[in-house]
Amino acid sequence: MEAAGVVISLGPDVTTCKVGDYVAYAGFPVCAYTEEMILPADRVVPVPPSIDPIVAAVVLFKGLTAQVLVRSCFQIGPEHTILVHAAAGGVGSLVCQWANVLGATVIGTVSNEVKAVQAKEDGCHHVIIYKQENIVDRVMEITSGKGVDIAYDSVGKDTFEKSVACLRFRGYMVSFGFASGSPEPVKFSLFSDKCLHFTIPSMMLYTKAREDLLAASHELFDNVAKGVLRVRANHKYPLSQVAQAHLDLEDRKTTGSIVLIPDN
């Protein structure tokens, strides 16, 4: 659902780019596993000369998602303490870095020591290895029993109720993925007891208007170019080995992002 490449042909009414331009897209259509693509012109964004096309390919979907999470659906600031699950993943890494730069106190969860090191590098002030520690207990210890202002949860079923339990009074539960499956039906008492807010932000809806898409992508690429955001394109596979890439992802053998490069 994300790719970058060179424009080789244009439709008759396209004025937003020209042949030879580097462009990228994120979202629908789901057709990125290919050598050539036909895309709606209003969904592609220009890739600045300062950005490597490989970086653009791996960062746009995840980066726009991170932009929505920390800048649009909630405005992160120095007064906030946040919880980020999968802190060493593609989106989690960017959320941690961005939130850190915005002044927030960042708590990240990861599965092992190697990922804990990366999460620290990416701006986590506190890292919880969930296979060794109780997430809720550690969060409450870190926050002196108050809980966090926002929980960013892309895991779903395995972490949903833990995330809610980590929130302070009037905190925000932000659910943006279901890596472990969909949570059980939500009990309203989970939210009413602490007057919590719950949102499921969609990057595609937040960037549906082209002006919003361009503004968000410009902010993202600008932060990447300035070094504010480190893009971890840690794994490169030939397109012909996409099945192996998926197996490695499912087996938690990867950190950061994966890029597929056409064999030719």
Side-chain angles (χ1 to χ4, degrees), residues 111-244:
S111 59
N112 57 53
E113 297 282 356
V114 173
K115 293 184 178 183
V117 172
Q118 179 189 307
K120 281 279 190 181
E121 293 175 352
D122 287 343
C124 284
H125 300 89
H126 307 275
V127 180
I128 300 170
I129 302 175
Y130 62 80
K131 292 185 177 181
Q132 302 175 11
E133 304 172 281
N134 181 288
I135 293 174
V136 179
D137 289 347
R138 279 290 291 133
V139 166
M140 290 305 169
E141 180 183 350
I142 292 166
T143 61
S144 301
K146 296 178 181 178
V148 297
D149 297 282
I150 311 111
Y152 290 113
D153 194 328
S154 62
V155 178
K157 183 177 181 179
D158 290 350
T159 56
F160 188 88
E161 291 196 10
K162 297 174 185 177
S163 296
V164 173
C166 288
L167 289 168
R168 66 161 176 80
F169 172 64
R170 293 172 62 186
Y172 281 75
M173 175 66 188
V174 182
S175 179
F176 66 100
F178 307 102
S180 66
S182 297
E184 298 298 325
V186 175
K187 300 174 184 176
F188 288 108
S189 60
L190 281 176
F191 296 91
S192 62
D193 289 349
K194 292 192 287 186
C195 296
L196 301 177
H197 304 266
F198 178 41
T199 183
I200 305 177
S202 164
M203 182 276 287
M204 291 298 295
L205 292 178
Y206 271 84
T207 61
K208 186 175 182 179
R210 179 159 178 80
E211 58 268 28
D212 294 332
L213 173 63
L214 290 174
S217 61
H218 175 77
E219 183 179 19
L220 169 64
F221 286 145
D222 187 53
N223 279 328
V224 172
K226 290 178 178 177
V228 172
L229 298 177
R230 179 193 298 111
V231 180
R232 295 182 178 275
N234 292 346
H235 308 277
K236 299 179 179 67
Y237 294 77
L239 181 58
S240 59
Q241 294 181 17
V242 63
Q244 186 61 52

Side-chain angles (χ1 to χ4, degrees), residues 21-32:
D21 285 352
Y22 274 102
V23 297
Y25 96 105
F28 295 106
V30 185
C31 61

Side-chain angles (χ1 to χ4, degrees), residues 8-52:
I8 59 172
S9 182
L10 298 173
D13 300 319
V14 174
T15 59
T16 55
C17 57
K18 62 183 185 298
V19 172
D21 285 352
Y22 274 102
V23 297
Y25 96 105
F28 295 106
V30 185
C31 61
Y33 292 0
T34 186
E35 295 177 357
E36 296 183 2
M37 308 170 67
I38 298 174
L39 292 168
D42 64 344
R43 296 308 303 170
V44 302
V45 299
V47 176
S50 57
I51 303 295
D52 185 315

